[in-house]
Amino acid sequence: MRSRLCTHPDPASSLHEMLIVHHREAYVRPHKHFGKPESFHVIEGTAQVVIFEDDGRIRDVLEMAPYGQGKRCYYRMPEKVFHSILITSEWLVFHETTAGPFDPSRTAFPDWAPDGGDAAEVHDYVTRIGALAVEHLARR
C-alpha cells in the first residue's frame, strides 16, 4: 500500500512537494532522474536508501529514520543516480521534494531490476538486495 499527498498546485508546477506513505511491502523500483534532483525527509518509520552503480551493484546504503534516532533523517539525491528505498518498518512516512513539471521521460528504469509486474520476481529481488544492503552496511 502507498499513498501520496501532493501539496503542489498541479503537475506543471516547477516545484513538487509530496507527503508519501508506504507500507513495508511497497516496491520502489530502482530509478534515476534527469534534470531533477530530489530530497526527502523521513517523518516516521525507517528505511534504507540504496544507491546503485549503473550496472546494478550497490554503491552505498543510507540508513534513514526520523530526527533524533541516530540515523539520517534527510537526504538530497543528485540527478542521474539509480536509487531505491527498502522499507524496514511497518510504515514509512516521508516528505519528498523534486523539480517539476512532471514528465515521465525524465525518469529512467534499469533493465537489471523488475518492473513490478511479477510479485514473486519482486519479492526475490527485494530479498536479494536487502541481504546485499546488510552486507554493505556490515563492511563499514
Side-chain angles (χ1 to χ4, degrees):
M1 189 193 107
R2 55 180 84 208
S3 183
R4 178 183 307 255
L5 171 65
C6 297
T7 63
H8 49 281
D10 62 62
S13 297
S14 62
L15 179 65
H16 286 206
E17 289 190 90
M18 299 150 283
L19 289 172
I20 302 171
V21 179
H22 285 327
H23 184 263
R24 173 192 327 255
E25 299 298 320
Y27 172 55
V28 178
R29 185 178 179 191
H31 61 284
K32 66 180 171 181
H33 305 289
F34 302 99
K36 52 182 273 178
E38 69 183 14
S39 65
F40 51 93
H41 169 218
V42 174
I43 298 168
E44 184 174 322
T46 58
Q48 296 170 333
V49 173
V50 182
I51 301 168
F52 298 94
E53 300 291 352
D54 283 344
D55 64 5
R57 289 177 295 122
I58 292 177
R59 178 188 305 175
D60 203 359
V61 178
L62 309 174
E63 294 187 281
M64 306 288 296
Y67 178 77
Q69 294 189 11
K71 298 179 181 174
R72 291 177 188 251
C73 67
Y74 174 85
Y75 187 72
R76 184 173 189 275
M77 180 69 60
E79 62 177 292
K80 301 179 186 174
V81 175
F82 280 117
H83 59 282
S84 181
I85 303 171
L86 298 176
I87 301 161
T88 56
S89 57
E90 186 73 16
W91 295 96
L92 178 67
V93 181
F94 59 104
H95 176 235
E96 181 177 295
T97 305
T98 191
F102 177 71
D103 177 358
S105 70
R106 293 169 68 187
T107 301
F109 299 97
D111 58 5
W112 42 260
D115 66 9
D118 180 328
E121 183 182 29
V122 167
H123 179 268
D124 291 348
Y125 176 77
V126 169
T127 299
R128 183 172 58 83
I129 293 303
L132 290 171
V134 167
E135 288 176 22
H136 182 90
L137 289 168
R139 288 193 302 262
R140 287 188 177 169

